[in-house]
Amino acid sequence: MPVANIQVSETPLVLYTLRRADDALILGHRLSEWCGHAPMLEEDMALSNIALDLIGQARELYSYAAKVEGKDNDEDKLAYLRDVRQYRNLLLVEQPNGDFAQTLVRQFFYSAFADLSWRAMMTSRDTTLAAIAAKSEKESAYHLRHASEWLIRLGDGTDESHARAQAAIDHLWAFTGEMFDVDEGERALIHAGIAIDPGLLRGRWLQTISDVVSEATLVLPQNNWMQQGGRTGRHSEHLGHLLSELQSMQRTLPGLTW
């Protein structure tokens, strides 16, 4: 018997928390797809551990979103029983793994943003978000270092690894602008000292990105046109396929828990 999608009361704080949770869950699932397929055993373990970190962040955020909402939803329902349009993750994190270079560039762009974001959120007036941020920043710092070191290795490596890394940057660059967008509800949370203003992080993010890309002997695109839609539930075709796999067990055997 089909399992019905849940409904969520998307108040600004619930929506803000869900966006961060969805980022972590979807990217964590993408990285888990590398398990058993990474180019070396050590990297197989590293990507799996990063995926586990992200899923752990998602769990804490989903649990808090459910608590704030105050209804009968919980972390499992929020992760597994929403329709694709109810997910509010960045378009960047739902992009396919592609080759190893594309996976690392996607991780690099996101981790550079997440590390700054978690660090800033440690000062949030919302004590729960501040506590989640304090724990998550330790993880994101490692994620960023890992991706940065690999990007330098690929960019400053062979002709083929350099070409693949540059192609990944060129392809994924248009998905980075969405990280810094805010809507009216999120702006109110920023003014209240609960949310962080991602626009204030753009300069430091770009400096981090530029420094590593330069050391990797790669270049950033000059095109400023950016993709948008993920934060408002308008996704690429890739998310629907991802969710059909992610949700299959819970849809088939309702009530399972992590």
Side-chain angles (χ1 to χ4, degrees):
M1 179 181 231
V3 179
N5 293 322
I6 64 170
Q7 298 300 315
V8 181
S9 299
E10 294 181 339
T11 63
L13 182 54
V14 169
L15 187 55
Y16 182 75
T17 307
L18 285 177
R19 284 169 172 165
R20 275 71 202 166
D22 290 345
D23 286 345
L25 179 71
I26 299 305
L27 184 55
H29 183 80
R30 275 290 185 230
L31 292 178
S32 75
E33 294 173 345
W34 275 102
C35 188
H37 301 282
M40 62 183 72
L41 179 60
E42 183 179 6
E43 194 57 24
D44 200 302
M45 296 175 65
L47 292 177
S48 295
N49 281 324
I50 294 172
L52 287 172
D53 286 344
L54 291 167
I55 292 170
Q57 293 171 16
R59 290 193 65 180
E60 293 191 15
L61 289 163
Y62 283 135
S63 294
Y64 184 51
K67 180 180 178 181
V68 172
E69 187 190 21
K71 296 189 175 180
D72 62 347
N73 292 323
D74 57 21
E75 60 178 280
D76 293 307
K77 290 180 180 179
L78 291 172
Y80 296 131
L81 297 181
R82 285 181 293 151
D83 180 72
V84 62
R85 291 295 298 269
Q86 293 177 294
Y87 283 78
R88 303 308 179 93
N89 56 276
L90 297 165
L91 294 173
L92 174 67
V93 300
E94 70 192 47
Q95 298 309 302
N97 288 329
D99 59 20
F100 187 62
Q102 183 166 319
T103 290
L104 264 297
V105 170
R106 183 188 62 199
Q107 188 66 39
F108 173 60
F109 284 159
Y110 175 79
S111 296
F113 171 76
D115 190 50
L116 290 170
S117 180
W118 288 129
R119 201 178 311 158
M121 200 179 296
M122 288 167 61
T123 63
S124 171
R125 291 180 181 175
D126 185 307
T127 56
T128 300
L129 287 178
I132 294 173
K135 177 177 180 294
S136 299
E137 194 279 328
K138 295 181 178 67
E139 297 167 342
S140 64
Y142 163 70
H143 301 171
L144 175 58
R145 184 170 68 252
H146 174 267
S148 298
E149 291 173 354
W150 261 111
L151 185 59
I152 293 169
R153 189 181 305 178
L154 293 174
D156 198 26
T158 66
D159 290 344
E160 181 175 359
S161 70
H162 177 93
R164 286 176 179 262
Q166 186 62 60
I169 289 174
D170 294 343
H171 172 62
L172 293 171
W173 180 250
F175 295 101
T176 61
E178 189 179 28
M179 297 187 292
F180 305 98
D181 293 340
V182 297
D183 59 18
E184 186 176 339
E186 191 166 322
R187 182 65 62 186
L189 293 176
I190 293 170
H191 289 323
I194 295 173
I196 57 99
D197 187 348
L200 299 179
L201 307 178
R202 187 191 288 268
R204 282 180 289 165
W205 176 84
L206 186 57
Q207 187 63 57
T208 298
I209 294 295
S210 299
D211 289 347
V212 174
V213 167
S214 176
E215 187 173 351
T217 69
L218 300 164
V219 294
L220 292 176
Q222 297 303 307
N223 182 12
N224 292 323
W225 181 84
M226 294 290 164
Q227 294 274 8
Q228 293 178 316
R231 288 301 194 219
T232 57
R234 294 180 290 110
H235 295 280
S236 67
E237 69 275 15
H238 306 299
L239 185 62
H241 295 294
L242 183 153
L243 291 179
S244 67
E245 179 179 305
L246 177 70
Q247 297 181 345
S248 61
M249 188 66 73
Q250 189 74 340
R251 298 280 187 178
T252 305
L253 300 170
L256 292 182
T257 57
W258 275 335

